[in-house]
Amino acid sequence: MSSTEGLDLSGLPQHVAIIMDGNGRWAQKRGLPRTMGHRAGMDALRATVKALDAMGIKYMTVYAFSTENWKRPEEEVGMLMSLIREYIYKELMALHRQKVRISVIGDSAQLPEDVRKKMDDAVAKTKDNPGMRFCIALNYGGREEIVRAARSLAERVQAGELLPREIEREEFAACLYTAGMPDPDLIIRTSGEMRVSNFLLWQGAYAELVVTDCLWPDFREEHVHKAIKEFQMRQRRFGGISEGS
C-alpha cells in the first residue's frame, strides 16, 4: 500500500521544519561511535528532502547544528563540520537539478571559513531556483535569534528611524533570520524527545508538533507521510475555538 494513501494533497503544510535527533543513540544501539550515527543521518536527510520536494512542499527547514552543539566533544564537532562540507559537496548538484533553493540561517561567524564558503557558494548557485526552499539552520539558536532581532530594532530606535510604539510583530519578524519565509506549519522531531530545543521559538508559536520514536538515521519517506497525515488530523485553532466547540 502506498504511504501517500489517506493524504489530502490539497491540504499539505506549506513549511515543514525538522529537529533531526537520535544519531548518537542509533550508533550506540549498534555498538558504533556516535560519529557514525551522524554519517548515517545524511541518508535520512537525502531521503527526506526528496520526499518533501516530490510532494510539493514549498519550504523545509532542518536543525543541522545548534549554538549549544559546540559543547559536544571536539572530535564530534569536527566530524559534524566535516559532514556538512561533505553533504554540500555531494548533494549540491543534485539539489540544483531538482531546482531546490538552498538558504542558511544562524550565526555563521563561528563556523570554519571553508564551511562558510561552501554554504555561501550553495546559496549563490541555487538562489534563482523556483523549487522548494531548503533552509539549513547552522549554528542556530532561537533565543539568540530573538536577542539579535531585539538589538537590531533597538539600534533603529536609537538612530531615530523607528518609534517604540511602531514596533509590531511584522517589524520584529522582519529582523529574524527567516524574514520572508512563512512560519512552519509542522515541526517534526525524531527520537521521541518532547522538547523544541531552542529551535524556531518565535516562528513555531502555532506550529503543529509531531514527535516520532524513530531515530533520525532510520527516518524515511514513509515517516514523512505518516507525520503529515497526523498533521492533517489536527484542528488548527490559532488560539480560537473549533467549529462546534
Side-chain angles (χ1 to χ4, degrees):
M1 183 177 69
S2 169
S3 59
T4 60
E5 189 170 326
L7 273 179
D8 175 7
L9 298 180
S10 66
L12 296 172
Q14 185 177 22
H15 184 176
V16 176
I18 304 177
I19 302 173
M20 307 179 293
D21 193 24
N23 292 340
R25 273 166 285 170
W26 182 92
Q28 288 167 356
K29 283 174 64 176
R30 290 160 176 77
L32 300 170
R34 285 175 56 85
T35 53
M36 294 305 294
H38 296 306
R39 177 167 291 282
M42 289 176 63
D43 293 333
L45 181 56
R46 184 180 301 111
T48 303
V49 170
K50 184 176 180 181
L52 289 174
D53 185 42
M55 293 176 70
I57 301 298
K58 297 184 183 301
Y59 297 86
M60 171 186 180
T61 300
V62 296
Y63 206 5
F65 190 89
S66 78
T67 50
E68 288 79 23
N69 285 158
W70 296 108
K71 300 173 186 175
R72 295 188 177 190
E74 186 176 344
E75 179 187 1
E76 185 172 345
V77 170
M79 175 63 168
L80 285 167
M81 291 297 146
S82 177
L83 285 174
I84 290 165
R85 295 184 194 98
E86 183 180 335
Y87 179 81
I88 293 298
Y89 175 76
K90 287 185 173 180
E91 301 297 323
L92 178 57
M93 291 313 299
L95 292 170
H96 190 41
R97 285 194 297 271
Q98 289 171 235
K99 303 189 184 307
V100 170
R101 177 185 170 190
I102 298 171
S103 61
V104 182
I105 60 172
D107 181 3
S108 64
Q110 281 183 278
L111 298 173
E113 185 176 352
D114 64 328
V115 172
R116 290 202 306 271
K117 185 176 187 312
K118 283 192 180 298
M119 286 297 177
D120 289 345
D121 289 347
V123 169
K125 188 172 187 64
T126 63
K127 66 182 177 65
D128 296 321
N129 285 349
M132 183 179 76
R133 184 163 175 180
F134 174 35
C135 183
I136 303 170
L138 194 56
N139 196 28
Y140 172 87
R143 287 182 172 180
E144 289 76 10
E145 180 184 28
I146 289 170
V147 169
R148 174 181 174 274
R151 187 181 297 122
S152 175
L153 288 169
E155 288 170 352
R156 289 179 60 193
V157 169
Q158 188 176 43
E161 300 172 3
L162 188 68
L163 293 174
R165 67 173 177 270
E166 294 174 332
I167 300 174
E168 301 289 349
R169 292 183 184 183
E170 293 77 13
E171 282 76 25
F172 195 88
C175 294
L176 298 173
Y177 290 124
T178 53
M181 293 174 59
D183 291 340
D185 305 292
L186 168 63
I187 296 177
I188 301 170
R189 179 165 191 146
T190 58
S191 87
E193 299 292 346
M194 303 290 287
R195 54 180 179 269
V196 294
S197 296
N198 202 19
F199 182 52
L200 299 178
L201 298 181
W202 173 278
Q203 300 90 333
Y206 285 103
E208 295 297 323
L209 181 61
V210 171
V211 176
T212 172
D213 290 332
C214 177
L215 301 176
W216 175 247
D218 293 326
F219 198 78
R220 291 295 185 273
E221 181 182 26
E222 60 267 27
H223 301 101
V224 173
H225 295 158
K226 185 177 180 181
I228 291 177
K229 286 176 186 176
E230 184 170 340
F231 166 82
Q232 292 182 333
M233 293 173 65
R234 305 278 178 87
Q235 290 187 338
R236 305 190 73 201
R237 296 187 293 272
F238 301 97
I241 60 173
S242 60
E243 199 172 310
S245 296

